[in-house]
Amino acid sequence: GAGVSQSPSNKVTEKGKDVELRCDPISGHTALYWYRQSLGQGLEFLIYFQGNSAPDKSGLPSDRFSAERTGGSVSTLTIQRTQQEDSAVYLCASSLGGTRATFYNEQFFGPGTRLTVL
Amino acid sequence: AQSVSQHNHHVILSEAASLELGCNYSYGGTVNLFWYVQYPGQHLQLLLKYFSGDPLVKGIKGFEAEFIKSKFSFNLRKPSVQWSDTAEYFCAVYAGNNRKLIWGLGTSLAVNP
């Protein structure tokens, strides 16, 4: 596609339920990032995928959060046993990859998924 | 820990006023600096970036930013704002040993026509 797409755009769930958020990066972008943006907060890094390398999971806030990227393209962020503090906008971004130069590249963001946990 | 500080959380200006948004970071080594913008209802997008060379960088829509290493700052400027500049502005810093962008909390700019 022309840009990064995310689905769903909005998700309302009950506390304790699991949710899956999907990201379709720009074709050809080997780097993919997940961020969380809570009300009044900046972007919180969650996880980063680069090609076939092991993902950088250092930003995941708890073991309830996990993400995978299949075939080097689509990524799914899963939140198990959701809590009210998980309510936020979850942003996905992709960029041209590389090695240490990856973070130099412009990141292209999707529209985000607004998650509300009741 | 590395951090990025944006001093102004909410800024309200009239059209044609000059703009300067502050961004300071805490890291003593080599950095790469970015300003991203999010217009209402739109995605985050890159406004400008600094990697090396001329510390005064120019971006889209008449924006510019100056990297002052001694002050650990990368302030965003525009001489004359327009109503269409109403948006959320984020400063981000890549510090080479961290392997991830560190983001500021953002500054909400409202430009009154």
Side-chain angles (χ1 to χ4, degrees), chain B residues 3 18 29 33-34 36-37 40 44 47 56 59 69 84-85 87 93 99 103 111:
Chain B
S3 64
S18 64
L33 303 154
F34 305 80
Y36 278 80
V37 60
L44 267 166
L47 198 54
L56 183 64
K69 189 174 180 179
S84 58
D85 293 324
V93 176
R99 294 189 70 244
W103 294 78
V111 179

Coordinates of all heavy atoms in Angstrom, one line a residue, chain B residues 3 18 29 33-34 36-37 40 44 47 56 59 69 84-85 87 93 99 103 111:
Chain B
S3 N 17.1 11.4 28.0 CA 15.7 12.0 28.0 C 15.6 13.2 27.1 O 16.7 13.8 26.7 CB 15.3 12.4 29.4 OG 16.1 13.5 29.9
S18 N 5.8 34.8 15.3 CA 7.0 33.9 15.2 C 6.9 32.8 16.2 O 6.3 33.0 17.3 CB 8.3 34.7 15.4 OG 8.4 35.2 16.7
G29 N 27.1 12.4 23.9 CA 27.8 11.9 22.7 C 27.1 12.3 21.4 O 26.3 13.3 21.4
L33 N 18.9 14.1 15.5 CA 17.8 14.9 16.1 C 16.7 15.0 15.1 O 16.9 15.2 13.9 CB 18.2 16.2 16.5 CG 19.4 16.2 17.6 CD1 20.2 17.5 17.5 CD2 18.8 16.0 19.0
F34 N 15.5 14.9 15.5 CA 14.3 14.9 14.7 C 13.2 15.8 15.3 O 13.0 15.9 16.5 CB 13.7 13.5 14.5 CG 14.7 12.5 14.0 CD1 15.6 11.9 14.9 CD2 14.7 12.1 12.7 CE1 16.5 10.9 14.4 CE2 15.6 11.1 12.2 CZ 16.5 10.6 13.1
Y36 N 9.1 15.8 14.6 CA 7.9 15.2 13.9 C 6.7 16.1 14.2 O 6.6 16.7 15.2 CB 7.6 13.8 14.3 CG 8.5 12.7 13.7 CD1 9.8 12.5 14.1 CD2 8.0 12.0 12.6 CE1 10.6 11.5 13.5 CE2 8.8 11.0 12.0 CZ 10.1 10.8 12.5 OH 10.9 9.8 11.9
V37 N 5.7 16.1 13.3 CA 4.5 16.8 13.5 C 3.3 16.0 13.2 O 3.3 15.1 12.4 CB 4.5 18.1 12.5 CG1 4.5 17.6 11.0 CG2 3.3 18.9 12.8
P40 N -4.0 17.7 13.0 CA -5.3 17.1 13.4 C -5.8 16.1 12.5 O -6.0 16.3 11.3 CB -6.2 18.3 13.5 CG -5.3 19.5 13.8 CD -4.0 19.2 13.0
L44 N 1.5 11.0 12.2 CA 2.8 11.6 12.6 C 3.7 11.6 11.3 O 3.7 10.7 10.6 CB 3.5 10.8 13.6 CG 3.4 11.2 15.1 CD1 3.9 10.2 16.0 CD2 4.1 12.6 15.3
L47 N 9.2 16.3 10.1 CA 9.3 17.8 9.8 C 10.7 18.1 9.3 O 10.9 18.8 8.3 CB 8.9 18.6 11.0 CG 8.5 20.0 10.8 CD1 7.3 20.2 9.9 CD2 8.1 20.6 12.2
L56 N 22.1 24.3 11.3 CA 20.8 24.9 11.0 C 20.2 24.1 9.9 O 20.7 24.1 8.7 CB 21.0 26.4 10.6 CG 19.7 27.2 10.3 CD1 18.8 27.2 11.6 CD2 20.0 28.5 9.8
G59 N 13.3 22.4 7.1 CA 12.4 21.3 6.8 C 11.3 21.8 5.9 O 11.4 22.8 5.3
K69 N 25.1 22.3 20.1 CA 25.6 21.2 20.9 C 25.9 21.6 22.3 O 25.7 20.8 23.3 CB 26.9 20.7 20.2 CG 27.5 19.4 20.8 CD 28.6 18.9 20.0 CE 29.2 17.6 20.6 NZ 30.3 17.1 19.8
S84 N -2.8 26.8 9.5 CA -2.5 25.4 9.1 C -1.4 24.8 9.9 O -1.2 23.6 9.7 CB -2.3 25.3 7.6 OG -1.2 26.1 7.2
D85 N -0.6 25.6 10.6 CA 0.4 25.0 11.4 C -0.1 24.4 12.8 O 0.7 23.9 13.5 CB 1.5 26.0 11.7 CG 2.3 26.5 10.5 OD1 2.5 25.6 9.6 OD2 2.6 27.7 10.4
A87 N -1.0 22.0 15.3 CA -0.6 20.6 15.3 C 0.1 20.3 16.6 O 0.3 21.2 17.4 CB 0.3 20.3 14.1
V93 N 15.2 12.1 19.7 CA 16.6 12.1 19.7 C 17.1 10.6 19.6 O 16.6 9.8 20.3 CB 17.2 12.7 20.9 CG1 18.7 12.6 20.9 CG2 16.8 14.2 21.0
R99 N 20.1 2.8 20.6 CA 19.4 2.0 19.5 C 17.9 2.3 19.5 O 17.2 1.4 19.0 CB 19.7 0.5 19.6 CG 21.1 0.1 19.3 CD 21.3 -1.4 19.2 NE 20.7 -1.8 17.9 CZ 19.6 -2.6 17.9 NH1 19.0 -3.1 19.0 NH2 19.1 -3.0 16.7
W103 N 11.7 10.1 22.7 CA 10.7 11.2 22.3 C 10.4 12.1 23.4 O 10.3 11.7 24.6 CB 9.4 10.5 21.8 CG 9.5 9.7 20.6 CD1 10.0 8.4 20.5 CD2 9.1 10.1 19.2 NE1 10.0 8.0 19.2 CE2 9.4 9.0 18.4 CE3 8.6 11.2 18.7 CZ2 9.2 9.0 17.0 CZ3 8.3 11.3 17.3 CH2 8.6 10.2 16.5
V111 N -2.9 27.9 16.4 CA -2.7 29.2 15.7 C -4.1 29.7 15.4 O -4.9 29.1 14.7 CB -1.9 29.0 14.4 CG1 -1.7 30.4 13.8 CG2 -0.5 28.4 14.7

